[in-house]
């Protein structure tokens, strides 16, 4: 019974991780960049979501704008920060990315204040009772459904549309894809837009779950999402999804049964070390 | 020939940065008192409250004619709640600004770092709300107006008993303060026949408590003693209530901010907080403070503002007794004094830890109101100076 509740809570947390890590995986698959600044777009999405909702009271609009703003900011990040250094070794982009994240965090602090923002009247706070007496906040249930839906939609787009196939082709062989008339630049833009929009989407959910948006809210996800994509086998979308959900559940149990020994935020890394020792290619890598 | 790069812009920038740290540079001051507060960085919210509290105390004293006819000047530095910032600030206050005494309106980290410097210079340092035990152990020029974590923890156990509850769920934030609260609570629990049915810890960065909430719900406590700060307690209390946990929740000073009520929303209603400021106090010191603070800032005072105001008042009243002199005379005046402040009537023990009542506030209609007062000098006795 309690175990079931912990699994459910783990899946809620895992859904958030999945949304954030997915964008990171897309970028890594395409450009081999460890995009730490991705977490800043998660924070940006959360701020936009809260401000739009407080101004209009329209939650779908808040989600849409958060995703668009985060998506565009992601494209801008790519064009201004990463594109000029693509020919450099990967650590150059990693350092740029870390710097970018720190700068973004401070910018949020200066622009929106250090104490953070909250919804004036937070939506989706009702309770839903499921079978077996498991009780969810409406927002918790919706985040799982929303994540499942958006990921299913992405999967469909990737395999059934021209743009999606072009993206896949670019990931597996950029030169060949280009010679078939696929615009690399366009594919990269789309990738950054979609990945960053997902992070913005996650940001609004976290704002709904906690009713608190702070400048530093991306700092834990920024490194935890890196652990997740490594667990998932770097660049594998399915692996990332599975790793995010597994980590969410492992953390839920770990918080309760290992809490005294190990910080919740250390569990991800202990788990990572363990997996890398036993399965260096990642939990779900096929190669 | 290649020219060397010009250095001037950089030096100007560095100088400007240095200057911006000193907000108030008096032309020439009769009596100067120092203040370190976090005005930027993660603790800036508390820093703002602390600054307003200290400024109000000084402004009131000056409006009443100063100390023995001499005006007071508050010398303010931003320590960003960082120990590495606090050391040069304390040195500057002592050596350059030549303050007679100083107030810490900051957290434990920077306050600990500054304590040794003030002690060596024999400058009395009154600490508003930093609770780390090491601070007063730095020496006899240190004073603290906040109750230590373990004292507040004991008060929490007493409150549980006063409410007629026995089965307690304990949720502890992994910080020095959280550990000290839990230690105090557990020390006093057997005395009141309390039974701790579940004990969980969380990290300062955590905002989602799903797993802890589910588990505590299964343990079915009659009451929950949860430590934290407004930014963790707000989400925690909201999530406990959203999961259908109806047991009363007891928090502490860290909850004592209007931001807590804003984040937790309706879920905050009924939350009990052991703290130092009683908004419904009949004491003139508190009423004047609350009214003047609202007039000066347009906002309601919180625990941090009241504590920093009280710390500054202690220093000013000490100066009145010492005839405006610092050093030994000021230290003795403070150590021997009793002070009526918005956080109650204060006096200090041999370690210069405060003796005072603990205020219990409850959230009603989105504001903190009086619930009760815990007045038990034996239970709430702060630790004394260890025999050396």
């Amino acid at each position: 019974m309690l175990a079931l509740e912990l699994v459910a809570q783990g899946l809620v947390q895992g859904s958030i991780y999945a949304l954030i890590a997915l964008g990171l995986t897309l970028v890594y698959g395409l450009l081999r960049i460890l995009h730490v600044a991705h977490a800043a777009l998660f924070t940006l999405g959360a701020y936009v979501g809260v401000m739009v909702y407080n101004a209009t009271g329209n939650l779908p609009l808040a989600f849409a704008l958060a995703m668009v703003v985060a998506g565009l900011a992601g494209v801008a990040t790519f064009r201004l920060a990463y594109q000029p250094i693509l020919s450099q070794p990967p650590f150059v982009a990693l350092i740029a990315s870390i710097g970018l994240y720190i700068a973004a965090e401070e910018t949020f602090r200066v622009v929106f204040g250090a104490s953070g923002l909250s919804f004036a009247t937070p939506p989706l706070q009702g309770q839903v009772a499921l079978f077996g007496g498991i009780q969810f906040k409406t927002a918790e249930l919706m985040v799982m459904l929303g994540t499942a839906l958006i990921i299913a939609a992405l999967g469909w787009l990737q395999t059934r549309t021209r743009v999606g196939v072009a993206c896949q082709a670019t990931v597996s062989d950029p030169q060949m894809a280009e010679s078939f008339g696929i615009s690399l630049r366009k594919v990269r833009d789309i990738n950054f837009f979609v990945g960053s929009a997902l992070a913005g989407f996650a940001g609004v959910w976290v704002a709904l779950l906690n009713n608190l948006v702070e400048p530093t809210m991306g700092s834990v996800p920024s490194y935890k999402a890196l652990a997740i994509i490594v667990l998932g086998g770097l660049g594998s979308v399915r692996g990332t999804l599975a790793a995010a959900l597994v980590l969410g559940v492992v953390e839920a149990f770990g918080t309760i049964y290992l809490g005294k020994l190990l910080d919740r935020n250390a569990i991800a890394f202990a788990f990572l070390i363990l997996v890398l020792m036993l399965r260096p290619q990642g939990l779900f890598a096929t190669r | 020939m290649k020219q060397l790069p010009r250095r001037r812009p950089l030096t100007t920038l560095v100088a400007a940065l240095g200057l911006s740290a000193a907000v108030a540079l008096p032309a020439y001051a009769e009596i100067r008192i120092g203040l370190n507060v976090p005005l930027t960085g993660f603790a800036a919210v508390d820093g703002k409250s602390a600054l307003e509290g200290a400024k109000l105390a000084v402004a009131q004293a000056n409006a009443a004619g100063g100390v023995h006819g001499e005006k007071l000047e508050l010398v303010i530095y931003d320590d960003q709640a960082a120990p590495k910032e606090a050391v040069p600030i304390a040195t500057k206050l002592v050596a350059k600004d030549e303050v007679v005494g100083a107030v810490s309106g900051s957290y434990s980290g920077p306050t600990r770092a500054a304590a040794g410097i003030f002690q060596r210079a024999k400058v009395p340092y009154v600490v508003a709300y930093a609770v780390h035990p090491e601070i007063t152990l730095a020496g006899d020029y240190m004073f603290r107006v906040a109750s230590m974590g373990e004292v507040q923890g004991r008060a929490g156990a007493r409150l549980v008993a006063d409410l007629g509850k026995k089965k307690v769920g304990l949720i502890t934030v992994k910080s020095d303060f959280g550990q000290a609260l839990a230690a105090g609570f557990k020390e006093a629990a057997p005395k009141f026949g309390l039974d701790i049915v579940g004990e969980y810890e969380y990290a300062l960065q955590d905002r989602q408590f799903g797993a802890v909430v589910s588990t505590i719900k299964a343990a079915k406590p009659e009451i929950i003693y949860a430590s934290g700060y407004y930014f963790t307690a707000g989400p925690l209390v909201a999530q406990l209530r959203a999961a259908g946990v109806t047991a009363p929740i007891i928090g502490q000073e860290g909850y004592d901010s209007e931001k807590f009520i804003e984040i937790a929303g309706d879920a905050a209603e009924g939350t009990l907080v052991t703290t130092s400021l009683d908004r419904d106090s009949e004491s003139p010191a508190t009423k004047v403070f609350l009214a003047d603070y609202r007039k000066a800032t347009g906002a309601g005072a919180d625990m941090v503002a009241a504590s920093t105001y009280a710390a500054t008042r202690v220093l000013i009243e000490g100066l009145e007794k010492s005839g405006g002199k610092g050093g030994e005379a000021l230290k003795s005046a403070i150590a021997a004094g009793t002070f009526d402040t918005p956080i109650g009537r204060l006096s200090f023990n041999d370690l210069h830890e405060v003796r005072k009542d603990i205020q219990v506030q409850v959230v009603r209609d989105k504001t903190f109101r009086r619930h009760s007062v815990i007045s038990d000098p034996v239970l709430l006795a702060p630790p004394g100076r260890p025999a050396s």
Side-chain angles (χ1 to χ4, degrees), chain B residues 78-102:
Chain B
D78 174 14
D79 68 15
Q80 299 167 26
K84 69 174 172 25
E85 300 293 325
V87 172
I89 287 173
T91 311
K92 244 186 278 182
L93 282 171
V94 166
K96 183 175 137 267
D97 301 310
E98 296 179 342
V99 295
V100 293

Side-chain angles (χ1 to χ4, degrees), chain A residues 15-25 38-39 42 195 198-199 202 206 221-222 225:
Chain A
S15 303
I16 300 283
Y17 290 157
L19 288 172
I20 301 173
L22 218 51
L24 218 55
T25 294
H38 189 59
F42 158 76
L198 286 179
V206 169
S222 71

Side-chain angles (χ1 to χ4, degrees), chain A residues 115-154:
Chain A
S115 64
L117 298 181
S118 299
F119 288 104
T121 42
L124 305 183
Q125 302 298 305
Q127 290 167 44
V128 188
L130 287 191
F131 57 88
I134 298 185
Q135 214 160 10
F136 278 112
K137 208 159 146 171
T138 315
E140 290 175 337
L141 208 58
M142 301 279 281
V143 68
M144 290 192 283
L145 290 175
T147 306
L149 272 178
I150 206 155
I151 286 168
L154 271 181

Side-chain angles (χ1 to χ4, degrees), chain A residues 11-92:
Chain A
L11 291 178
V12 170
Q13 189 66 51
S15 303
I16 300 283
Y17 290 157
L19 288 172
I20 301 173
L22 218 51
L24 218 55
T25 294
L26 290 177
V27 171
Y28 186 84
L30 193 65
L31 298 171
R32 309 279 135 175
I33 292 175
L34 287 173
H35 177 31
V36 176
H38 189 59
L41 304 167
F42 158 76
T43 313
L44 180 66
Y47 271 106
V48 172
V50 171
M51 287 188 297
V52 171
Y53 185 82
N54 279 348
T56 63
N58 185 336
L59 192 59
L61 181 71
F63 269 110
L65 280 180
M67 291 174 76
V68 169
V69 171
L72 292 177
V75 174
T77 308
F78 166 63
R79 291 226 182 142
L80 300 175
Y82 295 144
Q83 192 153 280
I85 51 174
L86 274 183
S87 57
Q88 307 287 327
F91 71 84
V92 176

Side-chain angles (χ1 to χ4, degrees), chain A residues 2 5-6 9 12-13 16 109 114-119 125 127 133 135 137 206 209-212 214 220 252 255-256 259-260 262-265, chain B residues 41-42 44-45 174 186 199-201 203 205-212 214-215 217-218 230-231 235 238-239 241-244 259 262-264:
Chain A
L2 174 61
E5 285 228 14
L6 288 180
Q9 287 300 334
V12 170
Q13 189 66 51
I16 300 283
R109 189 159 13 233
S115 64
L117 298 181
S118 299
F119 288 104
Q125 302 298 305
Q127 290 167 44
Q135 214 160 10
K137 208 159 146 171
V206 169
L209 291 174
N210 302 351
N211 197 25
L212 178 60
E214 307 156 278
V220 172
T255 307
I256 300 307
K260 289 249 145 148
L262 209 57
D263 197 274
R264 164 170 158 191
N265 297 316
Chain B
F42 73 96
V45 179
K174 281 185 191 141
K186 283 193 267 187
E199 199 182 339
Y200 310 95
E201 296 191 356
Q205 299 95 328
D206 288 350
R207 304 290 181 270
Q208 269 158 281
F209 303 95
V212 169
S214 297
T215 315
K217 196 176 153 192
Y230 67 87
F231 47 84
Q239 288 167 35
R241 293 296 179 240
K259 197 76 194 159
E262 187 187 325
I263 297 167

Side-chain angles (χ1 to χ4, degrees), chain A residues 108-245:
Chain A
F108 291 130
R109 189 159 13 233
V110 170
V111 175
F112 302 113
S115 64
L117 298 181
S118 299
F119 288 104
T121 42
L124 305 183
Q125 302 298 305
Q127 290 167 44
V128 188
L130 287 191
F131 57 88
I134 298 185
Q135 214 160 10
F136 278 112
K137 208 159 146 171
T138 315
E140 290 175 337
L141 208 58
M142 301 279 281
V143 68
M144 290 192 283
L145 290 175
T147 306
L149 272 178
I150 206 155
I151 286 168
L154 271 181
W156 185 83
L157 283 175
Q158 210 180 18
T159 49
R160 298 296 152 92
T161 63
R162 274 190 72 83
V163 181
V165 174
C167 286
Q168 284 195 44
T170 315
V171 170
S172 45
D173 193 338
Q175 272 173 334
M176 190 60 90
E178 205 170 10
S179 72
F180 272 83
I182 294 170
S183 156
L184 275 188
R185 199 186 158 109
K186 211 180 191 175
V187 166
R188 285 170 178 165
D189 280 353
I190 290 173
N191 236 300
F192 265 91
F193 184 86
V194 171
S196 308
L198 286 179
F201 184 68
V204 184
W205 283 115
V206 169
L208 283 167
L209 291 174
N210 302 351
N211 197 25
L212 178 60
V213 174
E214 307 156 278
T216 52
M217 66 186 281
S219 61
V220 172
S222 71
Y223 59 81
K224 210 179 270 178
L226 290 181
I228 291 169
I229 67 169
V230 175
L231 279 173
L234 281 172
S236 146
V237 170
R238 271 187 212 153
T240 301
L241 281 180
L245 295 178

